Amino acid sequence: MVDRNGQKTSRRRSFGCIVERKNRDGEVVGLIARYASPVDGRRVYQCFPAHSWRRAEDWLDTERLYVDLHKRGIVEWMSPRERDGKTDTHAVTFASFADGFIRRHRRKDGADLQGSTKRNLRNDVRHLNEVFGDLALTDVTEERIHDWYYGEHPNGEWQFRSECMRLKMILREACSPGAKGAPPLLESNPFTLPIPPEPVAESLDIPPVTPGELYRLYSAMPCYTRLSVYLAACAGGMRIGEVCGLQDTDFDLEHGVLTIQRSVNRGSEDLGPTVTGRLKTTGSRRTVPIPELLRPLIVAHLESRRDPSNHMFFQAKIGDVISQNTIRNQFMRARKAAGREDLQFRTLRVTHATELMLNGGSLKETMDALGHVREQTTLKHYLRVVPEHQRDVSDRTAAYLLSADPSLALASASGPSAAVADGSGDPLSSIVLLLGQVADLLAGHAGGNHGLGEVVRSA
């Protein structure tokens, strides 16, 4: 801004401005630094002697930092007169900054966190505050983090890994500029150590359920929720929250498909009654085939619901939406009847993925069924090795590779027949193996591989 004589009377900035005060003769008699209050928009100002531009700019820089802390939820803004030196913006504690991080943290799409996700975030910050909470943010140094990192962690490897990721995220935000160019609270991130590798989950050692175990689980569940077991194992490998969130309109029995499009939680604050909400990820929304064997069970379940006007597929006895804990607790009791107390409801999802692959499904089809977008997630967490299938594949592979050896071929061809003839072994398994070998013989003959065929003819 300039006056009539072309003289500069103010300095515009990204935050606030500085205005010169002049007397009637045009002489500068003082400076006014001002900005708009983040609470009500009123002007906040401070007077300085003439030509004290540096002091005025320093005051605005300090106020910009204070306003930024208010917008981050770390401090409550007060006017300079109300403050009266009570707030030191350079002594922000880790606890106050981390609490503000919880309040402003959002999903990548900008949506609020799910209740359980926010609960886990609060839990991580609570453990971090036990170590760093009373320290000024600037005192959370690389040395202090090093001592904590290599110390004892009584809450376990998974919790420690989660705390490391949270700590790095919180300190990374403290290194970012604030609103309207407010300077970062930290010059660099003091967390320079690697994030610990993901521990080996105990659930990876839990084998899939067998048909007999699945039936016993189903039979031991209460009538109004027992179909959840079959649906999770046979239709889309649903998570327990997705099962609870099913509605009758999700089932298209005419076309034989089921659309999984919601889950359940207890709201953004993880409090109160269970409500329907978003799925875990955007890729979790999927449409999967309904197996023909399940159609009559689904129809019977729909007809037996207590309240046909309620669209929830599994209806709660108390409340509008059945909770995850209700089905989880029922499942924990049912697994005893199945003789598999190691089972988790998630094992049904693992079973679905594993059996899809064993029965000829491609990796892409399995990923689509589970709602995954990364192959690594499916391969690492959901596919299991089935020893019986592994042995069968190994035997069939060896039969093909060794088919040119006359002595091994004769033993292979005569072994199953002898077992059937003398009554030893499993006749059905022997017949299946023999038919498989015949098929291999025919395939080898058609392809010009006459090794085993010549042996059989000569025998």
Side-chain angles (χ1 to χ4, degrees):
M1 183 182 298
V2 295
D3 60 14
R4 292 179 180 178
N5 298 320
Q7 299 296 318
K8 186 174 183 180
T9 60
S10 69
R11 291 188 182 180
R12 292 287 180 182
R13 301 159 39 93
S14 60
F15 177 85
C17 67
I18 302 173
V19 180
E20 292 179 337
R21 296 173 59 200
K22 295 183 179 181
N23 58 21
R24 293 181 178 179
D25 297 330
E27 180 184 359
V28 177
V29 296
L31 301 175
I32 300 177
R34 68 192 186 198
Y35 67 94
S37 162
V39 176
D40 55 18
R42 295 182 181 181
R43 282 185 176 178
V44 180
Y45 62 90
Q46 184 76 24
C47 296
F48 296 90
H51 310 297
S52 301
W53 288 96
R54 174 63 64 185
R55 288 179 57 189
E57 289 177 343
D58 288 345
W59 181 80
L60 280 176
D61 287 339
T62 301
E63 290 299 300
R64 178 173 56 180
L65 176 59
Y66 182 53
V67 169
D68 180 58
L69 294 176
H70 167 79
K71 291 183 176 180
R72 295 188 189 209
I74 300 171
V75 299
E76 183 178 356
W77 187 89
M78 296 183 293
S79 69
R81 185 173 299 176
E82 292 173 319
R83 247 176 283 161
D84 194 22
K86 295 177 182 178
T87 302
D88 182 4
T89 57
H90 298 286
V92 177
T93 65
F94 176 85
S96 62
F97 187 82
D99 289 343
F101 177 85
I102 294 175
R103 287 191 294 271
R104 61 184 172 271
H105 194 55
R106 295 290 185 273
R107 287 167 36 130
K108 290 183 178 180
D109 59 4
D112 196 11
L113 299 179
Q114 297 275 20
S116 58
T117 304
K118 185 171 287 187
R119 181 179 68 244
N120 293 334
L121 174 58
R122 285 178 178 144
N123 184 57
D124 292 339
V125 169
R126 178 172 60 84
H127 289 300
L128 291 172
N129 281 341
E130 293 173 357
V131 182
F132 306 106
D134 294 334
L135 296 175
L137 195 59
T138 52
D139 290 337
V140 182
T141 61
E142 188 173 347
E143 290 75 20
R144 289 183 184 273
I145 294 174
H146 188 279
D147 291 342
W148 166 77
Y149 186 93
Y150 289 106
E152 296 184 0
H153 302 284
N155 298 314
E157 293 178 309
W158 283 101
Q159 180 62 44
F160 171 58
R161 182 174 188 273
S162 182
E163 290 169 15
C164 285
M165 291 190 292
R166 300 293 191 195
L167 180 58
K168 191 167 188 175
M169 290 170 61
I170 291 170
L171 296 177
R172 183 171 59 213
E173 182 170 305
C175 296
S176 302
K180 292 192 174 183
L185 301 178
L186 295 177
E187 293 183 1
S188 61
N189 193 334
F191 194 109
T192 58
L193 296 165
I195 299 296
E198 188 175 281
V200 177
E202 295 180 0
S203 61
L204 295 179
D205 297 327
I206 301 176
V209 298
T210 64
E213 292 165 350
L214 183 62
Y215 174 70
R216 290 193 291 274
L217 282 170
Y218 171 81
S219 301
M221 290 282 287
C223 293
Y224 75 106
T225 57
R226 62 173 40 163
L227 192 53
S228 63
V229 172
Y230 278 177
L231 286 173
C234 302
M238 286 179 283
R239 302 177 179 92
I240 192 168
E242 295 171 346
V243 168
C244 295
L246 287 174
Q247 295 184 2
D248 51 15
T249 54
D250 298 331
F251 293 83
D252 184 353
L253 296 178
E254 180 181 354
H255 297 94
V257 294
L258 165 63
T259 301
I260 302 165
Q261 52 189 329
R262 73 188 67 79
S263 185
V264 301
N265 55 59
R266 299 179 64 195
S268 60
E269 298 302 320
D270 199 33
L271 298 171
T274 301
V275 296
T276 57
R278 297 188 303 267
L279 294 167
K280 183 176 181 179
T281 66
T282 54
S284 296
R285 191 187 190 283
R286 56 204 188 274
T287 299
V288 299
I290 298 175
E292 287 294 331
L293 289 174
L294 290 186
R295 279 174 176 251
L297 298 180
I298 293 171
V299 172
H301 177 86
L302 290 170
E303 293 175 348
S304 66
R305 291 181 304 165
R306 290 187 308 153
D307 182 7
S309 64
N310 183 349
H311 288 291
M312 300 308 298
F313 188 76
F314 294 108
Q315 296 183 353
K317 291 186 175 180
I318 300 176
D320 298 326
V321 180
I322 196 167
S323 71
Q324 297 186 33
N325 283 338
T326 296
I327 291 186
R328 183 179 290 109
N329 292 336
Q330 293 173 353
F331 182 84
M332 293 303 182
R333 291 190 290 269
R335 68 182 186 175
K336 294 182 179 179
R340 286 287 306 274
E341 295 194 40
D342 61 326
L343 291 178
Q344 303 172 0
F345 196 90
R346 180 175 177 272
T347 312
L348 301 177
R349 182 168 165 85
V350 169
T351 301
H352 182 69
T354 302
E355 291 299 327
L356 277 181
M357 294 290 287
L358 293 183
N359 287 283
S362 67
L363 177 59
K364 177 59 177 174
E365 288 170 333
T366 304
M367 291 172 58
D368 287 348
L370 299 182
H372 289 162
V373 295
R374 295 193 307 165
E375 297 89 343
Q376 184 65 19
T377 303
T378 307
L379 293 171
K380 182 176 181 180
H381 297 285
Y382 289 94
L383 297 184
R384 300 289 186 270
V385 173
V386 179
E388 295 80 2
H389 183 268
Q390 188 178 30
R391 178 172 292 280
D392 179 57
V393 170
S394 178
D395 286 343
R396 285 189 282 115
T397 300
Y400 167 72
L401 293 176
L402 302 177
S403 61
D405 186 324
S407 60
L408 292 176
L410 284 172
S412 175
S414 61
S417 302
V420 174
D422 65 10
S424 63
D426 179 9
L428 181 59
S429 298
S430 301
I431 292 171
V432 170
L433 180 59
L434 184 58
L435 290 175
Q437 292 172 337
V438 171
D440 289 342
L441 284 171
L442 294 175
H445 180 71
N449 185 357
H450 304 296
L452 186 55
E454 293 296 337
V455 172
V456 173
R457 282 194 294 274
S458 63

